[in-house]
Amino acid sequence: MTYVARKFGFFIATLWAVVTLNFLIPRLQPGDPAEIMVKRLAGKDAALDPAQVKAMRAMLGAPDGSLWNQYVTYLGELVHGNFGLSYTYYPYSVTEVIGQAFWWTVVLVVFTQVVSFVVGVVLGAYAAWRRNSRLDSVVTLGSTFLGTLQPFWIGLLLLYVFGYTVGWFPTSGGYEEATPGFNWPFIQEAVSHSFLPALALLIVTPIGWILGMRNTMIMNLGEDYIRLAKAKGLPDRHVALKYAARNALLPSVTGFALALGGVLGGAILVETVFDYPGLGRLMGEAVENKDYPLLQTLMLLTTAGVLVANLAADLLYGVLDPRARRAEG
Amino acid sequence: MTTETTPLPTPGEDFMAEGEPRQDLAVEQVSDATRPDQWWQVVWSSKKARVGIGIVAVYVVVAVFAPLIAPHDPLDSSFVPLAGPSSTNWLGTTTSGQDIASQLIYGARISLLVGLFAGLIATVIATVIGMISGYAEGTILDDLLSFVTNVALVIPALPLIITLVAYSEVRGIWLIVGVISITSWAGAARAKRAQIITLRNRDFVTAAKFSGEGTWRIVFREIMPNMTSLVAASFVGAATGAIAAEAGLAALGLGDSQSVSWGTMLYQSNAQGAIAQGLWLWVFVPGLVLAILMTAMTFINFGVDLLSNPHLREDA
């Protein structure tokens, strides 16, 4: 129980730290943040529009109040899910804009993450089991090089080859004419539009799992219980899967959330390249248009997503490995 | 290791031995190679590291002598736009008539500068926090520093970096260096904390305590020299990550507006629709030189790993 409480405690504390960071970032600059932002938005020499400054202040909290009062107001707004209006998509609220893009990214990232995990763990385990074989050398040396490629660059190349030169896949957007919703034409269009972005991520993202799994598996293969299993005359397959791989999987579970952060980072750029209608492209647009309410909410949302995944991975790890509960609890 | 090149490993010898598990970093490792000239020998004994050092050396030469090597000013837009490769413009020109080859050559400067300085700063932060936290293990100070480290580790870096950079009016290279450094030290700090915990109860530390040395002196003068290889490995890792982060930021249009980097080249080419117009060289080359540099640095780290883990050393 202590283990679970500890992990929940860390989750809450981290979430608080991120929320506070999000509050402090716009206030790090000297001067009245609302005026500065409006000025930046309208151009240096333009006159300040009082209405805009007021709207900005509404987002940033009471301008005259102390930092503490602003902080309390800010927390109150967060609790009520009030993130302000987006400049880019005025007069829509940030929540509405994000709601449109949310599932595009969730589907893309979750699909990529799950496929990477499965492919990476299977390849890594197989490479370790057939250590020094030709397949092992291809997998490990190939991973070292592929791991340094940038997903957005791969995306640009895929776009050039499969989008423009061969023309197998659409070059931008998320769908064409179909009405978004749960209907076959839309799903077809969405899948063909998501194919290249997913591929761009999938060339890089399994690498961490492959190398990690291979290393742990090789360490585990040297353990006594493996020798015992072999001495008992268990078939190779059984030793590899039920003994070595099963234990080697454990550290991969804790790496899940950290890897998710990486996939999200890659997705921001890949979505921009493919003009994919998800949160990443939205973040790119928010940067370009200096849409601070949107940008900050996106930062908060992606971070919170990773924190939740981290909590889930920690809790799962506690269930899978009793030693973790005992050691920390 | 022999000098002849063997493309595929011979059976029985683990060709990936250099990249072997690093889990045991924290377990046992007061390296036997303690003097700088011996480190160099150990790192140089790895064929991968030799290749990596050679490639990085070429990049450094290109960056330092960029004005002599580059045929044109990277921002000079007086050429015919959209030209293909020619003797004047080796890799063709951009949509605004800039020379792609010259941009590529000058771009090496940004990547190496960001890698060097962001790598150094992140390593210093990681070392100070990790060492203090590990030496103070079990105290409130350690709890606090460990918490900060874990928070920094779990927050996804790129969205945070983007948000921080998006707020600043002037996006100079030092702002980018600073933002990347303060968001990328956590993993290395955790590794150093784990290692100092294994070192702090050694006899030489106890002896230093009894001889009345101060805590700072014990941590940074007595213990730290034993961790130099870990510090070096984390520097190379941090520098590699910083180069990637700069490229990503610049590719989103958040690069230093005063200079040309490979990331800004990718941003420009994407924004100008290079792909749709068939200008694939403009896109292909910056990403390729970036990937080669990062692979070379990964190779160097295989060599540096040998320092901290004698078990990995190939029989020389």
Side-chain angles (χ1 to χ4, degrees):
Chain A
M1 211 51 216
T2 350
Y3 176 81
V4 174
R6 214 176 229 270
K7 293 301 171 190
F8 265 104
F10 177 72
F11 171 73
I12 305 269
T14 320
L15 196 63
W16 166 79
V18 171
V19 163
T20 307
L21 202 61
N22 199 46
F23 167 79
L24 286 176
I25 288 175
R27 289 169 178 80
L28 285 174
Q29 340 164 62
D32 178 355
E35 266 179 38
I36 293 173
M37 276 185 220
V38 172
K39 212 160 197 160
R40 197 170 301 163
L41 206 64
K44 269 203 167 52
D45 306 318
L48 283 178
D49 178 350
Q52 269 185 311
V53 178
K54 208 175 153 208
M56 241 328 170
R57 289 232 170 90
M59 167 203 143
L60 289 165
D64 310 316
S66 65
L67 204 61
W68 175 252
N69 284 343
Q70 290 182 37
Y71 187 53
V72 172
T73 320
Y74 162 83
L75 288 181
E77 297 286 318
L78 276 194
V79 171
H80 291 98
N82 190 357
F83 299 101
L85 301 181
S86 158
Y87 305 150
T88 325
Y89 294 96
Y90 190 81
Y92 289 99
S93 74
V94 166
T95 325
E96 285 169 301
V97 173
I98 288 181
Q100 293 271 321
F102 185 71
W103 290 109
W104 289 97
T105 296
V106 169
V107 171
L108 179 69
V109 166
V110 169
F111 174 77
T112 316
Q113 175 84 346
V114 169
V115 173
S116 308
F117 182 79
V118 173
V119 170
V121 162
V122 169
L123 271 182
Y126 192 75
W129 183 249
R130 296 259 174 272
R131 195 179 173 193
N132 294 330
S133 70
R134 191 167 285 255
L135 180 117
D136 181 26
S137 68
V138 170
V139 166
T140 40
L141 290 179
S143 304
T144 309
F145 177 69
L146 284 181
T148 65
L149 300 180
Q150 301 295 309
F152 65 88
W153 182 66
I154 299 176
L156 283 168
L157 295 186
L158 289 176
L159 197 59
Y160 177 68
V161 176
F162 295 105
Y164 287 100
T165 311
V166 196
W168 288 351
F169 293 96
T171 52
S172 72
Y175 59 96
E176 306 283 329
E177 286 124 21
T179 348
F182 195 75
N183 59 72
W184 184 237
F186 172 71
I187 293 174
Q188 260 182 319
E189 283 183 6
V191 167
S192 75
H193 280 80
S194 313
F195 186 84
L196 289 182
L199 186 62
L201 289 169
L202 280 174
I203 288 176
V204 182
T205 45
I207 307 289
W209 303 115
I210 294 180
L211 297 178
M213 184 68 183
R214 181 180 178 274
N215 283 347
T216 352
M217 179 98 169
I218 286 177
M219 296 232 305
N220 279 1
L221 285 173
E223 299 277 340
D224 286 342
Y225 69 88
I226 298 288
R227 207 165 300 138
L228 176 69
K230 283 183 178 162
K232 280 199 293 189
L234 291 177
D236 268 4
R237 230 183 112 78
H238 194 88
V239 177
L241 294 178
K242 293 268 168 77
Y243 281 66
R246 206 172 148 182
N247 280 296
L249 210 54
L250 282 173
S252 296
V253 172
T254 43
F256 199 81
L258 296 184
L260 188 67
V263 174
L264 266 173
I268 293 174
L269 291 151
V270 167
E271 284 186 10
T272 308
V273 167
F274 287 97
D275 213 11
Y276 183 85
L279 299 176
R281 188 187 74 173
L282 218 49
M283 197 160 201
E285 284 173 352
V287 166
E288 200 126 326
N289 301 317
K290 298 183 170 151
D291 189 343
Y292 295 114
L294 184 58
L295 182 62
Q296 287 207 264
T297 313
L298 283 169
M299 204 273 270
L300 205 57
L301 184 70
T302 45
T303 311
V306 172
L307 294 185
V308 169
N310 186 51
L311 177 68
D314 276 345
L315 294 181
L316 180 65
Y317 189 74
V319 173
L320 294 178
D321 191 347
R323 285 171 302 181
R325 272 170 298 177
R326 222 177 306 139
E328 291 192 44
Chain B
M1 172 159 274
T2 48
T3 44
E4 89 240 21
T5 45
T6 39
L8 277 174
T10 46
E13 163 207 4
D14 187 1
F15 65 95
M16 272 300 284
E18 298 167 322
E20 281 291 283
R22 301 191 49 187
Q23 279 87 344
D24 47 347
L25 267 184
V27 183
E28 167 64 38
Q29 60 143 262
V30 178
S31 172
D32 56 339
T34 43
R35 294 207 328 270
D37 54 327
Q38 287 168 323
W39 303 341
W40 177 254
Q41 276 175 13
V42 172
V43 174
W44 193 252
S45 74
S46 153
K47 198 201 294 175
K48 284 204 195 92
R50 285 200 296 274
V51 172
I53 291 168
I55 295 174
V56 172
V58 172
Y59 276 75
V60 170
V61 168
V62 168
V64 170
F65 297 105
L68 300 177
I69 299 169
H72 308 289
D73 184 305
L75 295 172
D76 177 4
S77 51
S78 63
F79 302 98
V80 184
L82 301 171
S86 66
S87 53
T88 6
N89 307 113
W90 304 336
L91 295 170
T93 55
T94 68
T95 43
S96 50
Q98 293 166 332
D99 182 45
I100 293 176
S102 304
Q103 294 200 339
L104 199 67
I105 290 166
Y106 274 90
R109 295 187 149 188
I110 302 295
S111 283
L112 290 176
L113 273 180
V114 170
L116 177 65
F117 287 102
L120 272 178
I121 299 172
T123 307
V124 169
I125 300 175
T127 307
V128 171
I129 292 191
M131 306 266 305
I132 295 176
S133 166
Y135 191 74
E137 193 208 0
T139 65
I140 291 217
L141 183 64
D142 172 40
D143 287 344
L144 186 72
L145 291 176
S146 292
F147 173 70
V148 172
T149 308
N150 287 333
V151 170
L153 192 65
V154 81
I155 294 178
L158 200 59
L160 181 61
I161 295 179
I162 290 173
T163 311
L164 283 170
V165 175
Y167 268 104
S168 36
E169 189 93 34
V170 189
R171 289 171 195 145
I173 184 170
W174 298 112
L175 173 86
I176 291 164
V177 165
V179 169
I180 292 176
S181 322
I182 57 165
T183 50
S184 61
W185 51 270
R190 207 149 85 159
K192 292 192 184 80
R193 177 180 177 274
Q195 200 191 12
I196 197 173
I197 287 173
T198 70
L199 290 175
R200 64 178 203 149
N201 291 325
R202 296 287 175 92
D203 289 343
F204 73 93
V205 179
T206 318
K209 271 186 204 157
F210 284 151
S211 66
E213 286 186 24
T215 309
W216 280 89
R217 200 184 146 80
I218 294 177
V219 172
F220 290 101
R221 298 297 290 278
E222 300 285 351
I223 301 181
M224 204 167 89
N226 292 296
M227 299 176 56
T228 324
S229 56
L230 185 64
V231 174
S234 82
F235 166 71
V236 179
T240 316
I243 290 172
E246 189 278 332
L249 263 185
L252 258 189
L254 285 174
D256 175 10
S257 41
Q258 302 301 310
S259 55
V260 178
S261 81
W262 299 327
T264 49
M265 291 177 75
L266 288 170
Y267 171 70
Q268 292 290 347
S269 62
N270 190 32
Q272 306 291 327
I275 289 285
Q277 300 176 53
L279 293 168
W280 64 276
L281 265 178
W282 190 8
V283 173
F284 181 69
V285 186
L288 185 69
V289 290
L290 186 67
I292 293 174
L293 175 61
M294 288 175 61
T295 309
M297 294 182 64
T298 313
F299 276 9
I300 293 178
N301 238 355
F302 283 140
V304 176
D305 278 348
L306 303 186
L307 282 178
S308 44
N309 196 341
H311 301 297
L312 302 180
R313 285 181 205 164
E314 295 155 271
D315 301 331

